[in-house]
Amino acid sequence: MSTTSAAAAPIDHPRLSVVIPLYNKAGQIARALDSVLAQTVRDFELIVVDDGSTDDGAAVVQACPDPRVRLHRQPNGGVSAARNQGVALARSPLVAFLDADDAWLPDHLERLWRSRLAVPDAVAWAANYEIVEPDGRRTPGVRLDSSARVVLTPENFYRIALQGSPVCSSAVMVDKVALLEAGGFPVGVRLGEDLDTWIRLLFSGSIAFDPQPGARYHADGDDRALVRHAPPARYVFFDTGETWRRAHPQAVQVGADMEEFHNFFRISHAHHQIKWGDKAAGRAVLRACDTRAFAEERRRLLRMSLLPQCAYQGLTRLKRALRPPPATPAPAPEAPGAQRPASRAYP
């Protein structure tokens, strides 16, 4: 294990620390680095934690001459271990995260800083983000009918999350102490580890959310976790949310919103089971899913599940192929509805 600098000594007292976990993203890491170094806020340090990559991504980072960039190398331990190590190395009490295959808009850090000034008691400050498909299509991660900053609490987080997850790992800055007190990122969890972290933070304090996009989530990353791992039947954040729910039995509406948020992921799991695995198991999940927000999707998948598996797979591919062409610039947000709450998780 070693820590090296890409050039001269790093900043001793940066206003912000930026952490990028890196694992086999040689094709995208330069884009991420360039977007950080192009920020209008300049007094930050950038810590890239190479989590045992087997490609040339670390070499790309080492070749960067900017003295604010540091590269830390460690054996592969997963994205949570990489993020936790980056937080441990951070010199600032404020830590912003960016995944190695994503990018920031030039004023992203500046907007997060303004959010902190406006909501100083929050434990984290998040910005909206654009989802960029491999064909160039861009859609907002969260669709809201207002541009005003929102203070997220359990009372509104799950409801807003039905329009799109309002806290994205590439568009959030956290209070380092609050993150550590919440337990950091759960090591060993393959999918949903970031959502579990943001939800635990949410239960410890409020999170400020700026509906204006500050980051771009790119779906073209090498070695993406959602390609390597099927969506599980149960995510760790189910347990985190339900533990809070049992401790707050009076929060009936929060519990209902939380259940619908979980239903999205149950339907995602069922879809994957029907498409690639056990059709009977997938149908059982759909039949047991009591949802209003995703009722039409549930009914559609149940109808499609009656088809042979090869036909189901073909219709899924056809649906993707028939989508409208990419829009440039990105389309304006639509009115809120039962949108996908976490586009990274849905196959």
Side-chain angles (χ1 to χ4, degrees):
M1 185 182 301
S2 64
T3 303
T4 60
S5 172
I11 298 172
D12 290 332
H13 302 288
R15 188 197 322 185
L16 306 170
S17 294
V18 179
V19 171
I20 297 180
L22 173 62
Y23 180 74
N24 289 352
K25 298 291 191 299
Q28 295 81 38
I29 183 60
R31 176 177 65 199
L33 290 176
D34 289 346
S35 76
V36 177
L37 299 178
Q39 290 297 298
T40 54
V41 168
R42 309 298 296 169
D43 49 338
F44 61 82
E45 64 173 352
L46 172 54
I47 304 164
V48 180
V49 180
D50 179 56
D51 191 49
S53 295
T54 58
D55 64 5
D56 295 328
V60 175
V61 179
Q62 281 187 312
C64 178
D66 195 298
R68 295 170 295 178
V69 180
R70 284 192 288 158
L71 172 67
H72 174 88
R73 289 177 135 163
Q74 63 184 33
N76 180 256
V79 66
S80 288
R83 290 191 182 116
N84 288 340
Q85 183 59 49
V87 172
L89 294 170
R91 293 182 171 92
S92 171
L94 299 171
V95 182
F97 295 96
L98 176 64
D99 286 351
D101 47 359
D102 294 341
W104 285 343
L105 300 180
D107 63 346
H108 176 60
L109 287 182
E110 182 177 346
R111 295 184 68 90
L112 290 181
W113 182 259
R114 289 177 182 173
S115 286
R116 180 180 178 267
L117 295 178
V119 192
D121 295 332
V123 295
W125 303 265
N128 206 347
Y129 51 97
E130 294 178 335
I131 301 165
V132 184
E133 300 291 348
D135 62 4
R137 183 188 321 273
R138 288 187 288 160
T139 56
V142 183
R143 298 175 183 270
L144 291 179
D145 56 1
S146 171
S147 60
R149 185 179 292 110
V150 178
V151 177
L152 302 172
T153 66
E155 285 69 30
N156 63 7
F157 172 85
Y158 288 101
R159 192 177 316 121
I160 291 173
L162 294 180
Q163 325 306 327
S165 182
V167 186
C168 169
S169 293
S170 287
V172 63
M173 178 178 73
V174 304
D175 179 285
K176 180 176 176 177
V177 171
L179 178 63
L180 294 176
E181 290 178 347
F185 294 89
V187 177
V189 178
R190 290 178 172 177
L191 290 175
E193 79 295 327
D194 49 353
L195 265 176
D196 184 62
T197 303
W198 313 136
I199 289 171
R200 280 185 283 110
L201 262 178
L202 180 77
F203 292 155
S204 72
S206 60
I207 298 175
F209 174 69
D210 182 351
Q212 299 302 311
R216 285 178 176 154
Y217 163 62
H218 288 269
D220 63 350
D222 301 329
D223 202 55
R224 297 172 65 218
L226 280 170
V227 175
R228 291 182 282 118
H229 306 297
R234 187 175 181 85
Y235 285 81
V236 64
F237 57 82
F238 284 24
D239 296 327
T240 298
E242 290 170 8
T243 298
W244 184 92
R245 187 175 175 182
R246 287 192 296 271
H248 300 79
Q250 75 283 2
V252 176
Q253 187 58 55
V254 175
D257 293 338
M258 181 187 300
E259 190 66 14
E260 288 289 21
F261 181 72
H262 293 174
N263 282 335
F264 169 84
F265 296 93
R266 294 182 181 114
I267 291 174
S268 174
H269 170 73
H271 166 74
H272 192 276
Q273 286 290 93
I274 295 168
K275 186 176 181 181
W276 302 112
D278 185 340
K279 285 181 64 177
R283 286 180 57 81
V285 171
L286 290 174
R287 286 195 295 267
C289 186
D290 182 14
T291 177
R292 294 180 63 185
F294 306 106
E296 180 55 38
E297 182 73 357
R298 172 183 173 274
R299 288 192 291 267
R300 185 182 70 83
L301 292 181
L302 276 171
R303 291 193 301 267
M304 288 179 60
S305 71
L306 299 174
L307 299 170
Q309 198 168 44
C310 60
Y312 185 97
Q313 295 168 1
L315 282 175
T316 301
R317 290 192 296 268
L318 181 63
K319 181 182 176 183
R320 289 180 177 271
L322 293 178
R323 290 184 307 179
T328 304
E334 300 169 359
Q339 305 294 331
R340 294 175 175 178
S343 298
R344 294 179 176 219
Y346 202 91

